[in-house]
Each structure stands twice: as C-alpha cells, then as structure tokens.
C-alpha cells in the first residue's frame, strides 16, 4: 500500500487529489494545510510569486519529511504537493494532507510537515511587488 504521495509540479495543485489519496476506511481524521499566495508582506503589496526548486533534491527531502511523519506520528497516509513557477494572488503553492485514526496525530503530522518543509526543502520564492522584486527563502 502506498502511504506517501509527493509531487512538485507547474500544474495547478488539486486539494481533492490530495484528499482522495489520504482518505482511508480506518481513519477518523484528515488534516489539510493549504498555503495560498497573499497580497502583501509586512511592508509591501505583493503582485505575484515565482517558486523555483532544485527538483531532485526537493522531492527527496519532501519524501524524507513524509517518511519521518509516518514513523513519528500515528498516521496512515500523507500527501505533500508543492507548486513551481509563477503564481498569482490566491493561487496555491503548497498542499499537505494527512490521515490518521485520530485527529490529533493528523493535526500534529500536518504541522510538522509544513514547518519542516519550509526549513529543509530547497524551494525558493521570488516576491514581486509594485516597485520591484526580491528572492527569499520559502519561509513565512
């Protein structure tokens, strides 16, 4: 049985695809994290974002996160999908779904996955503003 579903794509991310992967008859909880492109940072208005990855390493690191979540928490399945390329306001750069027999493990694993992804996966974003742009790590 497949317990992880890792993807980096320039196609639009699909929450239903991630949900469908993790749903399981033995699980009473599914936690989802959907990151969206917001229209501002602390000081500037954002017009769009551009995500770049070193895809082979990013996929490998995302798989490590999923495998660790499976061993660290009492979860059944996990999907981690990330977008690459140019995204507009309200587009989705990241989706994480986790299923577990009990809700707390699903919540904990989901938070662990997004926090660890932002710290360890080689994904960078370029923020575009009305008056320029800047490359930043894909951290909040």
């Amino acid at each position: 049985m497949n317990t992880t579903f890792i993807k980096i794509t320039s196609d639009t991310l699909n929450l239903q695809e991630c949900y469908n992967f993790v749903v399981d008859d033995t699980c009473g909880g599914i936690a989802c994290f959907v990151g969206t492109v917001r229209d501002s940072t602390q000081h500037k208005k954002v017009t769009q974002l551009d995500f770049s990855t070193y895809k082979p390493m990013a996929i490998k690191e995302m798989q490590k996160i999923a495998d660790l979540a499976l061993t660290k928490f009492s979860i059944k399945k996990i999907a981690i999908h990330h977008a690459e390329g140019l995204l507009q306001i309200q587009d989705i750069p990241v989706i994480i779904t986790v299923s577990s027999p009990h809700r707390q493990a699903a919540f904990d694993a989901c938070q662990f996955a997004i926090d660890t992804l932002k710290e360890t996966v080689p994904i960078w974003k370029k923020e575009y503003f009305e008056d320029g742009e800047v490359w930043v790590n894909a951290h909040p």
Side-chain angles (χ1 to χ4, degrees):
M1 173 183 66
N2 251 356
T3 56
T4 65
F5 183 15
I6 307 302
K7 183 185 337 188
I8 296 175
T9 182
S10 57
D11 295 335
T12 301
L13 297 186
N14 184 317
L15 178 58
Q16 191 65 52
E17 179 182 36
C18 294
Y19 175 86
N20 289 347
F21 175 77
V22 300
V23 71
D24 187 280
D25 290 347
T26 67
C27 293
I30 294 175
C32 302
F33 175 79
V34 178
T36 59
V37 177
R38 61 182 178 259
D39 69 356
S40 61
T41 63
Q42 295 157 350
H43 305 292
K44 290 190 174 197
K45 182 160 178 60
V46 173
T47 59
Q48 60 188 6
L49 298 179
D50 190 5
F51 286 90
S52 295
T53 67
Y54 175 52
K55 201 168 184 176
M57 180 59 87
I59 292 281
K60 183 178 177 182
E61 289 301 313
M62 289 164 67
Q63 185 65 55
K64 281 185 192 176
I65 293 166
D67 292 342
L68 186 54
L70 284 164
T71 60
K72 186 174 178 156
F73 304 95
S74 296
I75 63 172
K76 187 82 169 203
K77 295 180 183 178
I78 182 169
I80 306 174
H81 291 191
H82 206 290
E84 62 182 355
L86 201 58
L87 298 177
Q88 304 304 311
I89 304 306
Q90 295 186 358
D91 284 350
I92 298 172
V94 63
I95 298 173
I96 299 172
T97 57
V98 179
S99 62
S100 176
H102 304 286
R103 68 182 177 272
Q104 194 60 54
F107 285 135
D108 292 345
C110 196
Q111 181 165 4
F112 166 81
I114 189 60
D115 290 349
T116 307
L117 181 147
K118 288 180 164 287
E119 291 298 322
T120 65
V121 178
I123 298 173
W124 304 274
K125 70 178 174 182
K126 188 179 211 180
E127 292 180 333
Y128 288 84
F129 309 105
E130 294 170 324
D131 63 349
E133 68 269 342
V134 64
W135 280 103
V136 294
N137 284 337
H139 294 278

